[in-house]
């Protein structure tokens, strides 16, 4: 049995050329570019690493189970447990409301843009509007929700209003990621489904969407992570509360607003607790990112 490489069998001169070492100037250039790439990568990672290290060192000082099960203690009081469990619960409530609004609407919008309105005027208009929405500052979403819900007396400052504001932020992310995920599905799968007698609706939901679910899930989780860290929209819609959330239609605490309030407080104890809340929020976003990575792996 001949074990020679296939390239050598086809063209011995080409095989010899491939085995020839690089000229000195090319080897030096290659090593130099590799070193520059590593240096620039390290410079890009350095700020992120320093921020994470600072949050870990400062936030870890007060980190304990008590922060998950207690509400904020009054300023200056040290003989009662101090925590922000109410803010964690409020964040989960408002992100849940936002997800219930944005995920169905965003996924259906992405399906329409990819499968039904790809080359139509209405599809292009919707895509243009959604693309613009991805670039608006989050505070604009908060002002919009404030004007629609609170000024019109649909509801007061509440978890519902905060969830609606976060949904405005999540919606374009979910819609565009869904559209891109569906575009990655090979067209021959659609043709094969049609050849087997499936209509367009059956092909879209049973073949195309089913194949794109992992990628869609990744986009949804990234949108959830984005919403969980927003502060400005909640200042206009949910306000804050130092007690446990009292239903969906009353002012509701959140981690991001708690960090904002405590970071601006003159009390050193609240400043320290802001670092701990930041550590918990970073951990929450990290968990969501890990889940999205695991969902992406399933695409293989």
């Amino acid at each position: 049995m001949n074990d020679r490489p296939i390239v050598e069998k086809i063209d011995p001169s080409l095989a010899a050329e491939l085995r020839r070492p690089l000229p000195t100037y090319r080897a030096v250039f290659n090593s130099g570019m590799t070193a520059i790439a590593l240096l620039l990568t390290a410079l890009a990672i350095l700020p992120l690493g320093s921020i994470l290290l600072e949050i870990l060192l400062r936030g870890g000082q007060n980190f304990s189970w008590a922060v998950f099960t207690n509400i904020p203690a009054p300023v200056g009081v040290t003989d009662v447990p101090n925590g922000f469990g109410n803010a964690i619960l409020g964040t989960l409530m408002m992100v849940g409301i936002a997800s219930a609004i944005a995920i169905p609407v965003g996924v259906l919008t992405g399906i329409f843009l990819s499968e039904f309105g790809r080359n139509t005027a209405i599809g292009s208009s919707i895509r243009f509007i959604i693309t613009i929405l991805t670039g608006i500052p989050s505070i604009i979403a908060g002002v919009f929700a404030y004007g629609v819900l609170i000024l019109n007396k649909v509801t007061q400052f509440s978890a519902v209003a905060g969830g609606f504001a976060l949904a405005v932020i999540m919606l374009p992310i979910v819609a565009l990621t869904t559209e891109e995920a569906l575009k990655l599905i090979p067209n021959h799968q659609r043709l094969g489904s049609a050849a087997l007698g499936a209509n367009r609706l059956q092909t879209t939901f049973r073949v195309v969407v089913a194949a794109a679910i992992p990628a869609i899930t990744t986009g949804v989780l990234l949108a959830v992570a984005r919403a969980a860290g927003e502060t400005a929209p909640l200042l206009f819609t949910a306000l804050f509360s130092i007690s446990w959330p009292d239903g969906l239609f009353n002012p509701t605490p959140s981690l991001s607003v708690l960090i904002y309030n405590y970071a601006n407080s003159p009390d050193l104890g609240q400043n320290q607790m802001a670092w701990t809340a930041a550590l918990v929020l970073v951990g929450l976003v990290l968990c969501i990112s890990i889940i999205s990575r695991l969902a992406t792996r399933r695409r293989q």
Side-chain angles (χ1 to χ4, degrees):
M1 182 176 180
N2 193 347
D3 295 331
R4 290 189 305 167
I6 296 177
V7 174
E8 187 173 348
K9 294 178 182 180
I10 298 175
D11 191 346
S13 61
L14 178 59
E17 182 69 23
L18 293 175
R19 292 195 184 99
R20 181 182 304 171
L22 290 174
T24 303
Y25 75 93
R26 292 185 61 184
V28 171
F29 179 80
N30 181 62
S31 300
M33 290 297 103
T34 301
I36 293 174
L38 293 176
L39 177 61
L40 294 178
T41 302
L43 290 177
I45 295 177
L46 182 61
L48 176 61
S50 61
I51 292 173
L52 293 178
L53 181 61
E54 189 76 8
I55 292 175
L56 185 62
L57 293 178
R58 294 201 182 191
Q61 296 178 9
N62 290 337
F63 186 78
S64 65
W65 182 251
V67 301
F68 296 96
T69 58
N70 294 282
I71 61 176
V75 177
V77 178
T78 58
D79 57 348
V80 298
N82 190 14
F84 42 81
N86 59 331
I88 297 175
L89 180 59
T91 299
L92 295 177
M93 288 171 55
M94 288 186 283
V95 172
I97 293 171
S99 299
I101 298 172
I103 293 175
V105 177
V107 170
L108 291 176
T109 302
I111 292 173
F112 172 78
L113 294 177
S114 174
E115 303 300 314
F116 300 97
R118 179 175 298 186
N119 297 317
T120 63
I122 186 172
S124 299
S125 301
I126 294 174
R127 187 179 298 105
F128 176 74
I129 294 172
I130 292 177
T131 303
I132 292 177
L133 287 177
T134 59
I136 64 170
S138 59
I139 193 170
I140 302 301
V143 172
F144 171 74
Y146 174 80
V148 171
L149 297 181
I150 297 175
L151 286 184
N152 290 327
K153 301 187 184 302
V154 177
T155 183
Q156 61 175 344
F157 296 100
S158 61
V160 171
F164 178 79
L166 296 181
V168 174
I169 297 173
M170 290 178 59
L171 179 60
I173 301 175
V174 175
L176 291 180
T177 53
T178 299
E179 181 188 9
E180 294 302 320
L182 296 177
K183 287 181 178 179
L184 294 176
I185 305 302
N187 195 47
H188 64 75
Q189 293 192 17
R190 298 175 176 84
L191 297 177
S193 175
L196 293 174
N199 57 39
R200 192 172 186 181
L201 197 62
Q202 291 172 328
T203 298
T204 298
F205 286 95
R206 294 188 180 183
V207 177
V208 180
V209 174
I213 282 179
I216 295 174
T217 302
T218 300
V220 167
L221 292 176
L222 292 177
V224 170
R226 162 80 186 276
E230 289 293 343
T231 302
L234 302 183
L235 292 174
F236 286 89
T237 53
L239 292 184
F240 191 73
S241 172
I242 61 172
S243 59
W244 292 100
D246 183 22
L248 300 178
F249 298 96
N250 290 297
T252 304
S254 62
L255 276 174
S256 56
V257 176
L258 179 137
I259 295 170
Y260 173 79
N261 292 336
Y262 277 16
N264 292 310
S265 172
D267 182 68
L268 295 179
Q270 289 190 342
N271 294 157
Q272 184 61 45
M273 193 58 69
W275 286 101
T276 306
L279 178 61
V280 173
L281 184 58
V282 169
L284 176 62
V285 174
L286 177 62
C287 291
I288 296 174
S289 299
I290 292 174
I291 295 174
S292 69
R293 291 294 182 181
L294 294 176
T296 304
R297 289 183 179 180
R298 290 186 54 198
R299 294 177 61 185
Q300 307 299 328

